[in-house]
Amino acid sequence: GGDRDKPTGCFDDSLQLLETGVFERHGICRVYIAAYPEGHSRISHERLVDALSEKLSAAAQRGLDVTLVSQFCFDPKPIIAWTEALRAAQIQVPYRVGVAGPASKAALLKFALLCGVGPSLRALKERDNMARNMLAGETPEALLREVAKAQGERPELGIVGAHFFTFGSIAKTADWMRSVTASATLA
């Protein structure tokens, strides 16, 4: 994306890809655009807001449906606050919350630092229960329950699901999802 000092190749952001028209020429009608509830370590808040607006406009001009997919977070508060701000700005596209799937403490910390999820990481340390679960390599269940509760109480938030960052542990994430689905079905 746009956070490298020197891009590799001829594109340095996803807006340029949208503007090529290549998606619609090849029958692609839905695109997923990155979202940053906790900001980005190398891109200013103002630039993120402008870039999102530009990408949404470019996609609309080309007849592409858009879903936002966020960076992963460990704390539901920034997710919910960012979604409320998005809707207050009249941005109504669907939104998938990025969450870390079950992973080791080392993997979570490594990717959290790389992806700039510092505010959420600090919140994790302050919230013993969630911190113990996520940093012990367990699950994002507590975060997802809080986000689902907010969405249930306020359907206008438009949160349509979750995107799991598996950090190479696809099977572990899939197994966890199956177990959660099975226990929800039995409840």
Side-chain angles (χ1 to χ4, degrees), residues 13-60:
D13 67 31
S14 56
L15 177 61
Q16 292 171 328
L17 292 170
L18 288 169
E19 290 173 336
T20 65
V22 72
F23 297 113
E24 61 273 24
R25 279 196 308 272
H26 291 279
I28 296 170
C29 56
R30 172 169 298 280
V31 294
Y32 292 80
I33 295 176
Y36 301 91
E38 294 187 316
H40 190 289
S41 60
R42 298 190 62 185
I43 304 171
S44 73
H45 172 75
E46 294 76 19
R47 182 63 201 128
L48 287 174
V49 169
D50 291 345
L52 179 58
S53 176
E54 292 164 0
K55 291 171 193 174
L56 291 172
S57 177

mmCIF file of all heavy atoms in Angstrom, residues 13-60:
data_model
loop_
_atom_site.group_PDB
_atom_site.id
_atom_site.type_symbol
_atom_site.label_atom_id
_atom_site.label_comp_id
_atom_site.label_asym_id
_atom_site.label_seq_id
_atom_site.Cartn_x
_atom_site.Cartn_y
_atom_site.Cartn_z
ATOM 1 N N ASP A 13 -0.358 2.916 -4.316
ATOM 2 C CA ASP A 13 -1.524 2.837 -3.444
ATOM 3 C C ASP A 13 -2.682 2.162 -4.171
ATOM 4 O O ASP A 13 -2.668 2.024 -5.394
ATOM 5 C CB ASP A 13 -1.919 4.195 -2.867
ATOM 6 C CG ASP A 13 -2.427 5.185 -3.900
ATOM 7 O OD1 ASP A 13 -3.034 4.766 -4.906
ATOM 8 O OD2 ASP A 13 -2.236 6.387 -3.693
ATOM 9 N N SER A 14 -3.683 1.745 -3.415
ATOM 10 C CA SER A 14 -4.794 1.002 -4.018
ATOM 11 C C SER A 14 -5.713 1.890 -4.846
ATOM 12 O O SER A 14 -6.405 1.393 -5.737
ATOM 13 C CB SER A 14 -5.576 0.243 -2.949
ATOM 14 O OG SER A 14 -6.037 1.118 -1.957
ATOM 15 N N LEU A 15 -5.724 3.190 -4.591
ATOM 16 C CA LEU A 15 -6.520 4.093 -5.418
ATOM 17 C C LEU A 15 -6.085 3.993 -6.876
ATOM 18 O O LEU A 15 -6.915 3.953 -7.786
ATOM 19 C CB LEU A 15 -6.408 5.538 -4.921
ATOM 20 C CG LEU A 15 -7.141 6.585 -5.754
ATOM 21 C CD1 LEU A 15 -8.646 6.303 -5.796
ATOM 22 C CD2 LEU A 15 -6.872 7.982 -5.210
ATOM 23 N N GLN A 16 -4.790 3.928 -7.093
ATOM 24 C CA GLN A 16 -4.287 3.801 -8.467
ATOM 25 C C GLN A 16 -4.807 2.529 -9.130
ATOM 26 O O GLN A 16 -5.127 2.538 -10.318
ATOM 27 C CB GLN A 16 -2.757 3.817 -8.472
ATOM 28 C CG GLN A 16 -2.174 5.151 -8.076
ATOM 29 C CD GLN A 16 -0.671 5.070 -7.878
ATOM 30 O OE1 GLN A 16 -0.136 4.044 -7.461
ATOM 31 N NE2 GLN A 16 0.015 6.160 -8.182
ATOM 32 N N LEU A 17 -4.902 1.461 -8.384
ATOM 33 C CA LEU A 17 -5.448 0.214 -8.934
ATOM 34 C C LEU A 17 -6.918 0.381 -9.298
ATOM 35 O O LEU A 17 -7.360 -0.052 -10.368
ATOM 36 C CB LEU A 17 -5.285 -0.933 -7.936
ATOM 37 C CG LEU A 17 -3.863 -1.392 -7.659
ATOM 38 C CD1 LEU A 17 -3.844 -2.365 -6.485
ATOM 39 C CD2 LEU A 17 -3.256 -2.020 -8.898
ATOM 40 N N LEU A 18 -7.686 1.005 -8.415
ATOM 41 C CA LEU A 18 -9.104 1.239 -8.698
ATOM 42 C C LEU A 18 -9.282 2.074 -9.962
ATOM 43 O O LEU A 18 -10.177 1.818 -10.767
ATOM 44 C CB LEU A 18 -9.778 1.950 -7.517
ATOM 45 C CG LEU A 18 -10.001 1.126 -6.268
ATOM 46 C CD1 LEU A 18 -10.419 2.023 -5.113
ATOM 47 C CD2 LEU A 18 -11.036 0.043 -6.521
ATOM 48 N N GLU A 19 -8.427 3.060 -10.136
ATOM 49 C CA GLU A 19 -8.555 3.985 -11.265
ATOM 50 C C GLU A 19 -8.189 3.359 -12.609
ATOM 51 O O GLU A 19 -8.517 3.919 -13.650
ATOM 52 C CB GLU A 19 -7.718 5.237 -11.008
ATOM 53 C CG GLU A 19 -8.300 6.098 -9.903
ATOM 54 C CD GLU A 19 -7.419 7.268 -9.493
ATOM 55 O OE1 GLU A 19 -6.181 7.203 -9.702
ATOM 56 O OE2 GLU A 19 -7.982 8.243 -8.966
ATOM 57 N N THR A 20 -7.546 2.202 -12.619
ATOM 58 C CA THR A 20 -7.174 1.567 -13.890
ATOM 59 C C THR A 20 -8.386 1.027 -14.643
ATOM 60 O O THR A 20 -8.329 0.870 -15.860
ATOM 61 C CB THR A 20 -6.208 0.382 -13.677
ATOM 62 O OG1 THR A 20 -6.893 -0.652 -12.956
ATOM 63 C CG2 THR A 20 -4.931 0.818 -12.977
ATOM 64 N N GLY A 21 -9.466 0.699 -13.913
ATOM 65 C CA GLY A 21 -10.627 0.089 -14.549
ATOM 66 C C GLY A 21 -10.483 -1.406 -14.765
ATOM 67 O O GLY A 21 -11.388 -2.062 -15.290
ATOM 68 N N VAL A 22 -9.370 -1.978 -14.335
ATOM 69 C CA VAL A 22 -9.103 -3.392 -14.578
ATOM 70 C C VAL A 22 -10.101 -4.304 -13.858
ATOM 71 O O VAL A 22 -10.468 -5.356 -14.386
ATOM 72 C CB VAL A 22 -7.638 -3.760 -14.212
ATOM 73 C CG1 VAL A 22 -7.409 -3.770 -12.714
ATOM 74 C CG2 VAL A 22 -7.253 -5.090 -14.837
ATOM 75 N N PHE A 23 -10.579 -3.906 -12.708
ATOM 76 C CA PHE A 23 -11.503 -4.769 -11.959
ATOM 77 C C PHE A 23 -12.798 -4.980 -12.736
ATOM 78 O O PHE A 23 -13.197 -6.109 -12.999
ATOM 79 C CB PHE A 23 -11.788 -4.184 -10.567
ATOM 80 C CG PHE A 23 -10.577 -4.108 -9.694
ATOM 81 C CD1 PHE A 23 -10.055 -2.879 -9.318
ATOM 82 C CD2 PHE A 23 -9.946 -5.257 -9.259
ATOM 83 C CE1 PHE A 23 -8.925 -2.804 -8.521
ATOM 84 C CE2 PHE A 23 -8.815 -5.193 -8.445
ATOM 85 C CZ PHE A 23 -8.303 -3.955 -8.084
ATOM 86 N N GLU A 24 -13.447 -3.882 -13.098
ATOM 87 C CA GLU A 24 -14.722 -4.014 -13.800
ATOM 88 C C GLU A 24 -14.556 -4.612 -15.197
ATOM 89 O O GLU A 24 -15.432 -5.331 -15.682
ATOM 90 C CB GLU A 24 -15.496 -2.695 -13.829
ATOM 91 C CG GLU A 24 -14.822 -1.541 -14.510
ATOM 92 C CD GLU A 24 -13.895 -0.718 -13.620
ATOM 93 O OE1 GLU A 24 -13.381 -1.235 -12.601
ATOM 94 O OE2 GLU A 24 -13.678 0.453 -13.953
ATOM 95 N N ARG A 25 -13.434 -4.367 -15.844
ATOM 96 C CA ARG A 25 -13.190 -4.982 -17.161
ATOM 97 C C ARG A 25 -13.102 -6.507 -17.078
ATOM 98 O O ARG A 25 -13.365 -7.202 -18.047
ATOM 99 C CB ARG A 25 -11.904 -4.438 -17.786
ATOM 100 C CG ARG A 25 -12.079 -3.098 -18.465
ATOM 101 C CD ARG A 25 -10.933 -2.749 -19.403
ATOM 102 N NE ARG A 25 -9.607 -2.839 -18.826
ATOM 103 C CZ ARG A 25 -8.990 -1.836 -18.169
ATOM 104 N NH1 ARG A 25 -9.582 -0.673 -18.025
ATOM 105 N NH2 ARG A 25 -7.771 -2.020 -17.685
ATOM 106 N N HIS A 26 -12.738 -7.012 -15.923
ATOM 107 C CA HIS A 26 -12.612 -8.460 -15.743
ATOM 108 C C HIS A 26 -13.762 -9.050 -14.924
ATOM 109 O O HIS A 26 -13.638 -10.169 -14.399
ATOM 110 C CB HIS A 26 -11.257 -8.792 -15.122
ATOM 111 C CG HIS A 26 -10.126 -8.535 -16.069
ATOM 112 N ND1 HIS A 26 -9.773 -9.427 -17.056
ATOM 113 C CD2 HIS A 26 -9.310 -7.463 -16.216
ATOM 114 C CE1 HIS A 26 -8.774 -8.928 -17.768
ATOM 115 N NE2 HIS A 26 -8.475 -7.743 -17.276
ATOM 116 N N GLY A 27 -14.846 -8.326 -14.828
ATOM 117 C CA GLY A 27 -16.041 -8.848 -14.182
ATOM 118 C C GLY A 27 -16.042 -8.813 -12.665
ATOM 119 O O GLY A 27 -16.931 -9.378 -12.041
ATOM 120 N N ILE A 28 -15.066 -8.170 -12.085
ATOM 121 C CA ILE A 28 -15.047 -8.042 -10.624
ATOM 122 C C ILE A 28 -15.995 -6.904 -10.248
ATOM 123 O O ILE A 28 -15.905 -5.799 -10.768
ATOM 124 C CB ILE A 28 -13.618 -7.769 -10.110
ATOM 125 C CG1 ILE A 28 -12.736 -8.983 -10.421
ATOM 126 C CG2 ILE A 28 -13.628 -7.434 -8.616
ATOM 127 C CD1 ILE A 28 -11.264 -8.760 -10.179
ATOM 128 N N CYS A 29 -16.937 -7.202 -9.365
ATOM 129 C CA CYS A 29 -17.928 -6.180 -9.013
ATOM 130 C C CYS A 29 -17.874 -5.786 -7.535
ATOM 131 O O CYS A 29 -18.575 -4.871 -7.117
ATOM 132 C CB CYS A 29 -19.324 -6.645 -9.389
ATOM 133 S SG CYS A 29 -19.806 -8.208 -8.658
ATOM 134 N N ARG A 30 -17.055 -6.456 -6.725
ATOM 135 C CA ARG A 30 -16.915 -6.114 -5.303
ATOM 136 C C ARG A 30 -15.442 -6.018 -4.966
ATOM 137 O O ARG A 30 -14.665 -6.888 -5.347
ATOM 138 C CB ARG A 30 -17.568 -7.164 -4.415
ATOM 139 C CG ARG A 30 -17.278 -6.936 -2.919
ATOM 140 C CD ARG A 30 -18.101 -7.773 -1.999
ATOM 141 N NE ARG A 30 -19.516 -7.506 -2.099
ATOM 142 C CZ ARG A 30 -20.129 -6.469 -1.513
ATOM 143 N NH1 ARG A 30 -19.443 -5.615 -0.792
ATOM 144 N NH2 ARG A 30 -21.425 -6.299 -1.645
ATOM 145 N N VAL A 31 -15.101 -4.958 -4.228
ATOM 146 C CA VAL A 31 -13.735 -4.791 -3.741
ATOM 147 C C VAL A 31 -13.782 -4.562 -2.233
ATOM 148 O O VAL A 31 -14.778 -4.088 -1.685
ATOM 149 C CB VAL A 31 -12.994 -3.623 -4.441
ATOM 150 C CG1 VAL A 31 -12.781 -3.931 -5.919
ATOM 151 C CG2 VAL A 31 -13.713 -2.306 -4.262
ATOM 152 N N TYR A 32 -12.693 -4.918 -1.597
ATOM 153 C CA TYR A 32 -12.549 -4.727 -0.157
ATOM 154 C C TYR A 32 -11.436 -3.708 0.049
ATOM 155 O O TYR A 32 -10.355 -3.849 -0.516
ATOM 156 C CB TYR A 32 -12.210 -6.060 0.517
ATOM 157 C CG TYR A 32 -13.377 -7.025 0.441
ATOM 158 C CD1 TYR A 32 -13.629 -7.749 -0.717
ATOM 159 C CD2 TYR A 32 -14.238 -7.169 1.515
ATOM 160 C CE1 TYR A 32 -14.713 -8.610 -0.802
ATOM 161 C CE2 TYR A 32 -15.325 -8.033 1.438
ATOM 162 C CZ TYR A 32 -15.555 -8.740 0.278
ATOM 163 O OH TYR A 32 -16.627 -9.586 0.202
ATOM 164 N N ILE A 33 -11.740 -2.697 0.848
ATOM 165 C CA ILE A 33 -10.804 -1.601 1.069
ATOM 166 C C ILE A 33 -10.377 -1.593 2.535
ATOM 167 O O ILE A 33 -11.214 -1.738 3.432
ATOM 168 C CB ILE A 33 -11.443 -0.246 0.688
ATOM 169 C CG1 ILE A 33 -11.728 -0.218 -0.830
ATOM 170 C CG2 ILE A 33 -10.567 0.918 1.090
ATOM 171 C CD1 ILE A 33 -12.450 1.028 -1.299
ATOM 172 N N ALA A 34 -9.090 -1.393 2.756
ATOM 173 C CA ALA A 34 -8.531 -1.375 4.117
ATOM 174 C C ALA A 34 -9.080 -0.200 4.925
ATOM 175 O O ALA A 34 -9.280 0.893 4.396
ATOM 176 C CB ALA A 34 -7.011 -1.302 4.056
ATOM 177 N N ALA A 35 -9.298 -0.454 6.201
ATOM 178 C CA ALA A 35 -9.789 0.566 7.132
ATOM 179 C C ALA A 35 -8.934 0.516 8.398
ATOM 180 O O ALA A 35 -8.391 -0.533 8.743
ATOM 181 C CB ALA A 35 -11.250 0.298 7.461
ATOM 182 N N TYR A 36 -8.841 1.651 9.078
ATOM 183 C CA TYR A 36 -7.908 1.772 10.196
ATOM 184 C C TYR A 36 -8.572 2.411 11.424
ATOM 185 O O TYR A 36 -8.374 3.586 11.700
ATOM 186 C CB TYR A 36 -6.688 2.602 9.770
ATOM 187 C CG TYR A 36 -5.968 1.991 8.596
ATOM 188 C CD1 TYR A 36 -6.293 2.341 7.288
ATOM 189 C CD2 TYR A 36 -4.990 1.024 8.801
ATOM 190 C CE1 TYR A 36 -5.651 1.747 6.214
ATOM 191 C CE2 TYR A 36 -4.342 0.435 7.731
ATOM 192 C CZ TYR A 36 -4.675 0.797 6.447
ATOM 193 O OH TYR A 36 -4.049 0.211 5.391
ATOM 194 N N PRO A 37 -9.339 1.634 12.199
ATOM 195 C CA PRO A 37 -9.985 2.187 13.389
ATOM 196 C C PRO A 37 -9.003 2.789 14.391
ATOM 197 O O PRO A 37 -9.356 3.672 15.160
ATOM 198 C CB PRO A 37 -10.705 0.990 14.009
ATOM 199 C CG PRO A 37 -10.833 0.001 12.923
ATOM 200 C CD PRO A 37 -9.688 0.243 11.990
ATOM 201 N N GLU A 38 -7.766 2.300 14.393
ATOM 202 C CA GLU A 38 -6.764 2.817 15.334
ATOM 203 C C GLU A 38 -5.683 3.626 14.630
ATOM 204 O O GLU A 38 -4.612 3.838 15.175
ATOM 205 C CB GLU A 38 -6.122 1.664 16.095
ATOM 206 C CG GLU A 38 -7.117 0.979 16.999
ATOM 207 C CD GLU A 38 -6.458 -0.048 17.884
ATOM 208 O OE1 GLU A 38 -5.619 -0.821 17.408
ATOM 209 O OE2 GLU A 38 -6.799 -0.054 19.074
ATOM 210 N N GLY A 39 -5.974 4.053 13.418
ATOM 211 C CA GLY A 39 -4.982 4.826 12.687
ATOM 212 C C GLY A 39 -3.909 3.932 12.091
ATOM 213 O O GLY A 39 -4.026 2.712 12.069
ATOM 214 N N HIS A 40 -2.890 4.583 11.586
ATOM 215 C CA HIS A 40 -1.778 3.878 10.935
ATOM 216 C C HIS A 40 -0.490 4.518 11.421
ATOM 217 O O HIS A 40 -0.404 5.741 11.524
ATOM 218 C CB HIS A 40 -1.922 4.004 9.421
ATOM 219 C CG HIS A 40 -0.990 3.138 8.645
ATOM 220 N ND1 HIS A 40 0.363 3.377 8.569
ATOM 221 C CD2 HIS A 40 -1.224 2.028 7.905
ATOM 222 C CE1 HIS A 40 0.923 2.465 7.812
ATOM 223 N NE2 HIS A 40 -0.016 1.623 7.396
ATOM 224 N N SER A 41 0.496 3.709 11.685
ATOM 225 C CA SER A 41 1.739 4.224 12.260
ATOM 226 C C SER A 41 2.516 5.127 11.298
ATOM 227 O O SER A 41 3.326 5.932 11.739
ATOM 228 C CB SER A 41 2.620 3.060 12.727
ATOM 229 O OG SER A 41 2.939 2.221 11.635
ATOM 230 N N ARG A 42 2.263 5.021 9.994
ATOM 231 C CA ARG A 42 3.047 5.802 9.037
ATOM 232 C C ARG A 42 2.197 6.733 8.171
ATOM 233 O O ARG A 42 2.736 7.384 7.280
ATOM 234 C CB ARG A 42 3.842 4.867 8.147
ATOM 235 C CG ARG A 42 4.838 4.037 8.977
ATOM 236 C CD ARG A 42 5.787 3.287 8.130
ATOM 237 N NE ARG A 42 6.588 4.236 7.345
ATOM 238 C CZ ARG A 42 7.445 3.873 6.426
ATOM 239 N NH1 ARG A 42 7.606 2.602 6.155
ATOM 240 N NH2 ARG A 42 8.137 4.759 5.756
ATOM 241 N N ILE A 43 0.880 6.753 8.385
ATOM 242 C CA ILE A 43 -0.004 7.585 7.581
ATOM 243 C C ILE A 43 -0.862 8.422 8.532
ATOM 244 O O ILE A 43 -1.474 7.874 9.456
ATOM 245 C CB ILE A 43 -0.902 6.731 6.660
ATOM 246 C CG1 ILE A 43 -0.056 5.810 5.778
ATOM 247 C CG2 ILE A 43 -1.791 7.617 5.797
ATOM 248 C CD1 ILE A 43 -0.853 4.778 4.992
ATOM 249 N N SER A 44 -0.922 9.725 8.309
ATOM 250 C CA SER A 44 -1.676 10.602 9.206
ATOM 251 C C SER A 44 -3.177 10.306 9.147
ATOM 252 O O SER A 44 -3.678 9.804 8.135
ATOM 253 C CB SER A 44 -1.444 12.070 8.833
ATOM 254 O OG SER A 44 -2.133 12.390 7.627
ATOM 255 N N HIS A 45 -3.865 10.645 10.211
ATOM 256 C CA HIS A 45 -5.318 10.456 10.277
ATOM 257 C C HIS A 45 -6.002 11.185 9.121
ATOM 258 O O HIS A 45 -6.892 10.633 8.466
ATOM 259 C CB HIS A 45 -5.855 10.950 11.625
ATOM 260 C CG HIS A 45 -7.346 10.957 11.682
ATOM 261 N ND1 HIS A 45 -8.082 9.805 11.818
ATOM 262 C CD2 HIS A 45 -8.242 11.975 11.587
ATOM 263 C CE1 HIS A 45 -9.368 10.107 11.810
ATOM 264 N NE2 HIS A 45 -9.484 11.411 11.678
ATOM 265 N N GLU A 46 -5.568 12.419 8.866
ATOM 266 C CA GLU A 46 -6.173 13.209 7.796
ATOM 267 C C GLU A 46 -6.006 12.530 6.448
ATOM 268 O O GLU A 46 -6.923 12.482 5.634
ATOM 269 C CB GLU A 46 -5.581 14.622 7.753
ATOM 270 C CG GLU A 46 -5.897 15.471 8.970
ATOM 271 C CD GLU A 46 -5.079 15.106 10.210
ATOM 272 O OE1 GLU A 46 -4.010 14.443 10.101
ATOM 273 O OE2 GLU A 46 -5.541 15.451 11.313
ATOM 274 N N ARG A 47 -4.824 11.996 6.192
ATOM 275 C CA ARG A 47 -4.580 11.323 4.914
ATOM 276 C C ARG A 47 -5.410 10.048 4.807
ATOM 277 O O ARG A 47 -5.918 9.724 3.734
ATOM 278 C CB ARG A 47 -3.077 11.006 4.755
ATOM 279 C CG ARG A 47 -2.743 10.353 3.449
ATOM 280 C CD ARG A 47 -3.056 11.280 2.257
ATOM 281 N NE ARG A 47 -3.191 10.504 1.042
ATOM 282 C CZ ARG A 47 -4.223 10.564 0.204
ATOM 283 N NH1 ARG A 47 -5.199 11.407 0.408
ATOM 284 N NH2 ARG A 47 -4.269 9.813 -0.848
ATOM 285 N N LEU A 48 -5.575 9.322 5.916
ATOM 286 C CA LEU A 48 -6.407 8.126 5.892
ATOM 287 C C LEU A 48 -7.855 8.466 5.553
ATOM 288 O O LEU A 48 -8.497 7.772 4.759
ATOM 289 C CB LEU A 48 -6.351 7.395 7.244
ATOM 290 C CG LEU A 48 -5.065 6.659 7.573
ATOM 291 C CD1 LEU A 48 -5.117 6.122 8.993
ATOM 292 C CD2 LEU A 48 -4.804 5.538 6.582
ATOM 293 N N VAL A 49 -8.363 9.545 6.146
ATOM 294 C CA VAL A 49 -9.747 9.977 5.881
ATOM 295 C C VAL A 49 -9.892 10.369 4.413
ATOM 296 O O VAL A 49 -10.832 9.949 3.728
ATOM 297 C CB VAL A 49 -10.148 11.144 6.814
ATOM 298 C CG1 VAL A 49 -11.465 11.774 6.389
ATOM 299 C CG2 VAL A 49 -10.226 10.660 8.260
ATOM 300 N N ASP A 50 -8.955 11.173 3.913
ATOM 301 C CA ASP A 50 -9.005 11.592 2.506
ATOM 302 C C ASP A 50 -8.886 10.404 1.563
ATOM 303 O O ASP A 50 -9.613 10.306 0.568
ATOM 304 C CB ASP A 50 -7.888 12.603 2.199
ATOM 305 C CG ASP A 50 -8.100 13.946 2.875
ATOM 306 O OD1 ASP A 50 -9.226 14.216 3.351
ATOM 307 O OD2 ASP A 50 -7.121 14.717 2.936
ATOM 308 N N ALA A 51 -7.961 9.492 1.857
ATOM 309 C CA ALA A 51 -7.744 8.334 0.991
ATOM 310 C C ALA A 51 -8.991 7.448 0.938
ATOM 311 O O ALA A 51 -9.372 6.965 -0.138
ATOM 312 C CB ALA A 51 -6.532 7.534 1.457
ATOM 313 N N LEU A 52 -9.636 7.252 2.083
ATOM 314 C CA LEU A 52 -10.849 6.444 2.096
ATOM 315 C C LEU A 52 -11.924 7.097 1.234
ATOM 316 O O LEU A 52 -12.569 6.438 0.419
ATOM 317 C CB LEU A 52 -11.350 6.238 3.529
ATOM 318 C CG LEU A 52 -12.643 5.427 3.661
ATOM 319 C CD1 LEU A 52 -12.494 4.034 3.041
ATOM 320 C CD2 LEU A 52 -13.060 5.335 5.120
ATOM 321 N N SER A 53 -12.088 8.387 1.378
ATOM 322 C CA SER A 53 -13.071 9.116 0.571
ATOM 323 C C SER A 53 -12.767 8.985 -0.920
ATOM 324 O O SER A 53 -13.664 8.730 -1.733
ATOM 325 C CB SER A 53 -13.076 10.588 0.995
ATOM 326 O OG SER A 53 -13.953 11.323 0.182
ATOM 327 N N GLU A 54 -11.505 9.139 -1.286
ATOM 328 C CA GLU A 54 -11.101 9.028 -2.694
ATOM 329 C C GLU A 54 -11.355 7.623 -3.235
ATOM 330 O O GLU A 54 -11.830 7.450 -4.364
ATOM 331 C CB GLU A 54 -9.617 9.382 -2.838
ATOM 332 C CG GLU A 54 -9.317 10.842 -2.562
ATOM 333 C CD GLU A 54 -7.829 11.121 -2.321
ATOM 334 O OE1 GLU A 54 -7.004 10.171 -2.369
ATOM 335 O OE2 GLU A 54 -7.496 12.291 -2.073
ATOM 336 N N LYS A 55 -11.055 6.615 -2.447
ATOM 337 C CA LYS A 55 -11.252 5.228 -2.891
ATOM 338 C C LYS A 55 -12.736 4.903 -3.040
ATOM 339 O O LYS A 55 -13.143 4.256 -4.013
ATOM 340 C CB LYS A 55 -10.588 4.257 -1.914
ATOM 341 C CG LYS A 55 -9.081 4.327 -1.939
ATOM 342 C CD LYS A 55 -8.482 3.518 -0.810
ATOM 343 C CE LYS A 55 -7.016 3.829 -0.641
ATOM 344 N NZ LYS A 55 -6.451 3.156 0.531
ATOM 345 N N LEU A 56 -13.536 5.368 -2.079
ATOM 346 C CA LEU A 56 -14.974 5.119 -2.169
ATOM 347 C C LEU A 56 -15.567 5.807 -3.388
ATOM 348 O O LEU A 56 -16.412 5.247 -4.094
ATOM 349 C CB LEU A 56 -15.673 5.579 -0.885
ATOM 350 C CG LEU A 56 -15.375 4.751 0.363
ATOM 351 C CD1 LEU A 56 -15.968 5.401 1.596
ATOM 352 C CD2 LEU A 56 -15.871 3.321 0.197
ATOM 353 N N SER A 57 -15.109 7.008 -3.664
ATOM 354 C CA SER A 57 -15.579 7.749 -4.835
ATOM 355 C C SER A 57 -15.175 7.036 -6.129
ATOM 356 O O SER A 57 -15.992 6.868 -7.049
ATOM 357 C CB SER A 57 -15.014 9.172 -4.803
ATOM 358 O OG SER A 57 -15.400 9.880 -5.957
ATOM 359 N N ALA A 58 -13.925 6.611 -6.215
ATOM 360 C CA ALA A 58 -13.444 5.916 -7.410
ATOM 361 C C ALA A 58 -14.221 4.618 -7.632
ATOM 362 O O ALA A 58 -14.593 4.297 -8.765
ATOM 363 C CB ALA A 58 -11.945 5.631 -7.297
ATOM 364 N N ALA A 59 -14.474 3.880 -6.562
ATOM 365 C CA ALA A 59 -15.221 2.626 -6.681
ATOM 366 C C ALA A 59 -16.656 2.902 -7.137
ATOM 367 O O ALA A 59 -17.178 2.197 -8.014
ATOM 368 C CB ALA A 59 -15.211 1.879 -5.353
ATOM 369 N N ALA A 60 -17.293 3.914 -6.564
ATOM 370 C CA ALA A 60 -18.666 4.258 -6.949
ATOM 371 C C ALA A 60 -18.740 4.665 -8.419
ATOM 372 O O ALA A 60 -19.658 4.257 -9.138
ATOM 373 C CB ALA A 60 -19.198 5.375 -6.057
#
